[in-house]
Amino acid sequence: MANPFSKGWKYLMQSFDSAIDENADPKVQIEQAANAAKEQHNAITRQAAEIIGQKKQLEIKLNRLRETQADQQAKTKTALQMADKAAAEGDSAKAQEFNNTAEALASQLVATEQQLADLTTQYGAAEQAAKQAEEEQRRSEARLEEQLAEVNRLRAQVDQANMQEMSAQAMDTIGQFNADDSVPTLDGVRDKIERRYATALGQQELAESTATGAEGVMAEIEAGQAGADVAATSKLAEIRAAMEKEAATAGELTPGTESGGAQGVEAGQSDASAKPEHD
């Protein structure tokens, strides 16, 4: 049965890691990923350098063993030549001594050749490992270049996202500003001006209409008055003609008659002046 405390601890750690990932700064995470990629490449490079160094070290040993082998071969040949010369001269003791020396040198040469064979095998494996390490280091370098290019692209994308978020926040802030009620708006001022202008136009139109009507009434009154004057003048002319006719018929008028005639004239004038008013 699983330990509940261990299970709960793992759950809390996983939840904590998830919360960190959600709230972490993308730029920091990008830098962490870039540093991890660089560190991995550096580790591969160091490992490749060590493998190549081992190959170089084996190569140095091989060269030294080859020199030792050549020297031992030369000394062995010299010892054999000296032994043969001593034997030819009849000096068997010295010949035996040179033969013993040649045998010792031959034993050393065999050991050297064995070491050389083993080291050659090791060098072959080291050389193959060095080639693989070089290839892996080149692949790691190419992979690092791709990762760094991706890092630069992500950095630019993060900057663009930050700018977009700032622009969106600025737009939201602008939208929160409301118009000040204590200050008149342009629309309200325009409506007020148009209303006053329309009222003034209405007053002007009404005044012009009233003036035109008054002029028409006065013209009608003046026309009627002119007609009345013409009628009165015609009536006076008619009365004078009648009076002259009566005077010519009667001859001389008496004072009473003149007085009556004057009264008749006044009555006629009164009738003439009253007639237009009746019309």
Side-chain angles (χ1 to χ4, degrees):
M1 182 177 179
N3 188 348
F5 295 102
S6 177
K7 186 176 180 181
W9 175 255
K10 290 181 180 179
Y11 175 80
L12 289 176
M13 292 302 297
Q14 183 64 36
S15 177
F16 184 68
D17 291 340
S18 299
I20 291 176
D21 291 337
E22 291 178 359
N23 298 320
D25 187 358
K27 283 190 174 182
V28 176
Q29 291 181 324
I30 290 173
E31 293 299 329
Q32 290 177 344
N35 292 333
K38 291 178 181 179
E39 183 61 29
Q40 183 180 6
H41 174 69
N42 292 334
I44 293 174
T45 301
R46 288 193 298 268
Q47 185 67 23
E50 290 179 1
I51 294 173
I52 294 172
Q54 291 175 1
K55 186 198 77 167
K56 293 293 184 182
Q57 186 177 6
L58 290 174
E59 186 176 352
I60 292 171
K61 289 182 179 180
L62 279 174
N63 292 331
R64 186 170 59 250
L65 283 176
R66 289 191 181 101
E67 292 176 356
T68 301
Q69 180 188 21
D71 182 63
Q72 289 174 349
Q73 285 179 349
K75 288 181 179 180
T76 302
K77 288 180 180 180
T78 301
L80 290 174
Q81 290 174 357
M82 295 296 293
D84 292 341
K85 183 179 179 181
E89 292 176 353
D91 190 352
S92 58
K94 197 168 185 177
Q96 185 63 36
E97 183 180 354
F98 283 120
N99 284 326
N100 292 335
T101 302
E103 289 178 359
L105 290 173
S107 298
Q108 293 178 0
L109 180 59
V110 170
T112 300
E113 289 178 349
Q114 184 62 41
Q115 291 179 1
L116 186 60
D118 295 340
L119 199 59
T120 301
T121 302
Q122 294 178 10
Y123 180 78
E127 187 176 15
Q128 186 66 27
K131 290 181 180 179
Q132 293 178 356
E134 289 178 356
E135 293 177 357
E136 182 62 26
Q137 195 274 340
R138 285 194 294 269
R139 286 194 296 268
S140 176
E141 185 175 1
R143 185 167 55 251
L144 178 62
E145 291 179 356
E146 292 179 358
Q147 290 174 341
L148 292 179
E150 181 67 14
V151 165
N152 293 330
R153 188 185 69 81
L154 290 176
R155 286 173 179 170
Q157 189 173 0
V158 168
D159 293 337
Q160 184 178 3
N162 291 335
M163 292 180 63
Q164 188 67 28
E165 289 177 353
M166 292 175 63
S167 299
Q169 292 176 358
M171 293 301 296
D172 292 339
T173 303
I174 292 174
Q176 293 176 358
F177 291 113
N178 296 323
D180 190 359
D181 296 336
S182 62
V183 178
T185 61
L186 294 178
D187 293 337
V189 173
R190 182 175 59 252
D191 292 340
K192 183 177 180 180
I193 293 173
E194 290 178 352
R195 185 169 57 253
R196 292 178 60 185
Y197 179 70
T199 302
L201 288 178
Q203 291 176 352
Q204 181 180 359
E205 183 177 355
L206 182 61
E208 291 177 354
S209 176
T210 303
T212 303
E215 290 178 357
V217 172
M218 291 300 296
E220 291 179 358
I221 293 173
E222 291 177 356
Q225 186 66 36
D229 293 341
V230 171
T233 303
S234 177
K235 189 65 176 177
L236 287 175
E238 182 181 353
I239 294 171
R240 286 194 182 95
M243 289 174 62
E244 290 177 355
K245 185 177 180 180
E246 289 178 357
T249 303
E252 293 181 357
L253 296 176
T254 60
T257 305
E258 291 177 357
S259 177
Q263 292 178 356
V265 171
E266 291 177 358
Q269 291 179 351
S270 298
D271 293 337
S273 60
K275 187 176 182 180
E277 293 179 358
H278 178 70
D279 293 337

